[in-house]
């Protein structure tokens, strides 16, 4: 049987782009069998020359738009990153009726509505499996495999760099900056790692995942964000002593009329499977009305895992083209115009357990006044540790884990505690989720 040749244009030859080329070469026979198509990368666009990368017989352009306008190209893979040129490139490719695959979560979180609508209008596909949780096939799982479920919550470790940092700090006692530099060397972190550290990268992925899972249009700035850099080495130690692990989570949850969206370090009981997911691994825990609780674990960043997700999208498009079917499926599960407009729960109204760490004078009555303050605000205490004096200083660390309380109520109590003359400096506040 003659196989249809599907011609691929690849824009960007960084960490992921090189992984895509490698997987397409290594897996050529299997990919060809699975898609019933012959996949050929015919045109590569990089804004700076990459002579060190073997691009075979592909045309090599410095102008990425030349790839989008190449009449031979069926599918354009956008891996240049950023949200300005990348947006123009994707628009140009869609206008040229190319199917587009991107790993660019920032682009889709900021401009997804417009780009998905354009793809629908043009009758082409815009796929983004690699944009969320690297190698875990979470987008297709939610879009297709879980289509019979109403998803009630999604909680995940969705930034590999952050998990890599917290794991190395907790298990090897390494310094934050040292581990971050290693994550950059290994190609896990973004070129500018600010978004890995401050929670923006996880928030962008959460916006995409929650939009798809809840069928809702969600603005990029909707999630509450607290970065991985708000966790001190002593928090990891105290959490362990209390039977918890700290993970940086993205959480999306349906409330009665609204949706919670938040990204923050979270204490999780060490017995929960997601608490054991270490290193660059990501994990996404989904609750659906049919399936119950599902946990998908896998590499969340890096060249080959992310390339695996890109190639999965490519094989899916190529298979449809080979069968003379339209590969265009609604990117968000339903047409963009049919997404609900989401109303977001204010973070002040979100209720969780809390871990508090503070330094207090070691003298009679101090603990009583702190616990009294929490009790007066209606916040129950689940556990409490007062460490012995470590040095000549009269101050001792006090660690408290509370029952559930809203952010508003907790902040109110913490302001009162910080104003006490016997309490030194600020109180560290991290959220606790038991997932029971
Ligand atoms: N910088 C991202 C991470 C890459 O660490 O998860 C994958 O999106």
């Amino acid at each position: 049987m003659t196989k249809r040749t599907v011609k691929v244009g690849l824009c960007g030859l960084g960490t992921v782009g090189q992984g895509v080329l490698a997987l397409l070469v290594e897996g050529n026979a299997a990919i060809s069998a699975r898609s019933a198509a012959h996949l050929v990368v015919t045109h590569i666009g990089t804004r700076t020359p990459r002579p060190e990368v073997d691009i075979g017989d592909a045309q090599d352009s410095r102008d990425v738009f030349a790839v989008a306008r190449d009449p031979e190209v069926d599918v354009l893979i956008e891996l240049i990153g950023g949200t300005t040129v990348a947006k123009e490139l994707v628009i140009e490719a869609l206008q040229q009726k190319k199917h587009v695959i991107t790993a660019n979560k920032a682009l889709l979180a900021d401009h997804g509505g417009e780009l998905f609508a354009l793809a629908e209008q043009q009758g082409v596909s815009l796929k983004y499996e690699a944009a969320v949780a690297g190698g875990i096939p979470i987008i297709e799982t939610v879009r297709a495999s879980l289509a019979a479920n109403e998803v009630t919550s999604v909680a995940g470790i969705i930034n590999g760099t952050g998990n890599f940092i917290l794991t190395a700090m907790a298990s090897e006692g390494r310094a934050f900056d040292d581990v971050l530099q290693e994550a950059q060397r290994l190609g896990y972190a973004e070129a500018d790692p600010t978004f890995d550290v401050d929670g923006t990268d996880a928030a962008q992925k959460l916006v995409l995942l929650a939009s798809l899972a809840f069928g809702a249009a969600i603005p990029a700035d909707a999630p509450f964000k607290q970065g991985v850099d708000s966790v001190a080495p002593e928090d990891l130690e105290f959490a362990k002593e209390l039977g918890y692990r700290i993970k940086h989570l993205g959480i999306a949850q349906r409330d009665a009329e609204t949706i919670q969206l938040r990204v923050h370090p979270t204490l999780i009981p060490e017995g929960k499977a997601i608490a054991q997911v270490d290193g660059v691994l990501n994990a996404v825990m989904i609750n659906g009305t049919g399936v119950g609780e599902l946990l998908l674990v896998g590499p969340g960043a890096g060249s080959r895992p992310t390339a695996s997700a890109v190639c999965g999208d490519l094989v899916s498009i190529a298979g449809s083209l080979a069968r003379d079917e339209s590969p265009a499926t609604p990117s968000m599960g339903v047409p963009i115009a049919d997404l609900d407009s989401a109303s977001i729960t204010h973070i002040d109204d979100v209720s969780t357990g809390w871990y508090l760490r503070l330094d207090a004078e070691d003298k009679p009555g101090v603990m009583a006044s702190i616990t009294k303050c929490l009790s007066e605000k209606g916040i129950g205490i689940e556990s409490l540790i007062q460490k012995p004096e470590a040095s000549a200083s009269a101050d001792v660390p006090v660690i408290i884990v509370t029952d559930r309380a809203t952010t508003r109520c907790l902040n109110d109590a913490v302001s009162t505690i910080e104003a006490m003359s016997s309490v030194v400096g600020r109180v560290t506040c991290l959220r606790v989720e038991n997932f029971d």
Side-chain angles (χ1 to χ4, degrees):
M1 189 176 102
T2 316
K3 289 196 168 166
R4 157 134 190 206
T5 296
V6 172
K7 295 184 178 169
V8 180
L10 174 60
C11 294
L13 267 186
T15 308
V16 182
Q18 291 183 43
V20 168
L21 277 187
L23 287 197
L24 288 180
V25 170
E26 286 168 29
N28 198 277
I31 290 170
S32 179
R34 284 171 186 156
S35 61
H38 181 48
L39 279 157
V40 190
V41 179
T42 55
H43 199 160
I44 290 184
T46 60
R47 290 171 288 181
T48 50
R50 303 301 297 256
E52 74 282 14
V53 184
D54 178 3
I55 62 165
D57 296 331
Q59 184 180 338
D60 184 19
S61 291
R62 292 292 73 75
D63 174 13
V64 289
F65 291 89
V67 182
R69 294 186 191 118
D70 182 339
E72 293 289 304
V73 164
D74 299 301
V75 185
L76 181 137
I77 302 176
E78 181 281 305
L79 298 173
I80 63 172
T83 55
T84 48
V85 179
K87 181 183 177 198
E88 290 169 32
L89 177 66
V90 170
I91 288 176
E92 181 66 37
L94 295 173
Q95 283 173 340
Q96 299 287 335
K97 293 198 185 293
K98 315 286 186 207
H99 304 284
V100 174
I101 297 167
T102 180
N104 194 331
K105 59 259 166 176
L107 175 66
L108 296 180
D110 287 353
H111 305 292
E114 177 187 347
L115 299 176
F116 292 134
L118 178 59
E120 281 172 21
Q121 199 184 311
Q122 296 293 93
V124 292
S125 198
L126 172 51
K127 293 178 86 71
Y128 56 98
E129 184 65 75
V132 182
I136 302 177
I138 187 66
I139 297 300
E140 208 46 28
T141 299
V142 175
R143 198 189 66 78
S145 308
L146 297 180
N149 289 258
E150 185 186 344
V151 175
T152 51
S153 68
V154 177
I157 299 169
I158 47 177
N159 181 268
T161 301
N163 204 32
F164 187 72
I165 291 172
L166 286 181
T167 304
M169 283 173 71
S171 61
E172 300 163 40
R174 288 173 61 192
F176 186 98
D177 286 340
D178 170 43
V179 193
L180 175 57
Q181 279 170 21
E182 189 184 349
Q184 287 178 281
R185 276 198 305 279
L186 293 169
Y188 302 155
E190 302 300 303
D192 172 358
T194 310
F195 283 4
D196 292 302
V197 171
D198 73 4
T200 304
D201 179 85
Q204 290 165 342
K205 293 166 181 168
L206 187 67
V207 162
L208 289 175
L209 199 47
S211 296
L212 177 66
F214 299 150
I218 298 175
D221 61 358
F224 164 81
K225 285 188 297 179
Q226 182 185 3
V228 71
D229 55 348
S230 56
V231 180
E234 55 267 42
D235 295 319
L236 293 159
E237 282 169 30
F238 291 138
K240 193 171 176 194
E241 202 171 312
L242 288 157
Y244 293 92
R245 299 280 172 85
I246 303 181
K247 295 292 171 190
H248 192 260
L249 295 188
I251 299 176
Q253 188 177 313
R254 276 188 196 277
D255 285 337
E257 305 284 332
T258 54
I259 296 174
Q260 288 184 27
L261 288 166
R262 47 197 170 95
V263 168
H264 51 70
T266 312
L267 277 80
I268 309 167
E270 62 189 356
K272 285 297 286 186
I274 197 169
Q276 307 290 337
V277 174
D278 286 337
V280 74
L281 291 180
N282 277 197
V284 184
M285 193 162 72
I286 303 173
N287 271 284
T289 46
V291 73
E293 186 177 293
L294 195 67
L295 180 71
L296 282 85
V297 179
S303 176
R304 292 172 67 90
T306 313
S308 159
V310 170
C311 291
D313 282 345
L314 187 54
V315 170
S316 160
I317 291 172
S320 300
L321 291 174
R323 293 189 299 273
D324 278 332
E325 296 167 6
S326 167
T329 45
S331 302
M332 281 293 158
V334 295
I336 291 300
D338 292 351
L339 291 176
D340 293 336
S341 56
S343 182
I344 310 300
T345 313
H346 194 285
I347 191 64
D348 282 350
D349 296 320
V350 170
S351 185
T352 62
W354 292 89
Y355 158 98
L356 310 178
R357 174 174 56 81
L358 56 109
D359 288 324
E361 287 177 26
D362 189 13
K363 63 180 190 191
V366 172
M367 288 301 290
S369 55
I370 294 170
T371 54
K372 180 163 173 273
C373 168
L374 290 168
S375 149
E376 281 174 357
K377 308 286 180 191
I379 304 173
I381 293 175
E382 192 172 291
S383 41
L384 187 152
I385 310 178
Q386 184 177 14
K387 293 302 224 185
E389 257 175 73
S391 63
S393 155
D395 304 329
V396 292
V398 174
I399 299 94
I400 300 170
V401 176
T402 77
D403 293 333
R404 292 185 87 82
T406 62
T407 307
R408 180 182 292 105
C409 181
L410 192 279
N411 284 344
D412 189 19
V414 164
S415 306
T416 308
I417 292 170
E418 285 178 342
M420 292 175 182
S421 58
S422 50
V423 171
V424 185
R426 306 296 306 266
V427 178
T428 296
C429 304
L430 300 174
R431 289 172 172 80
V432 180
E433 290 283 5
N434 291 319
F435 294 120
D436 44 19

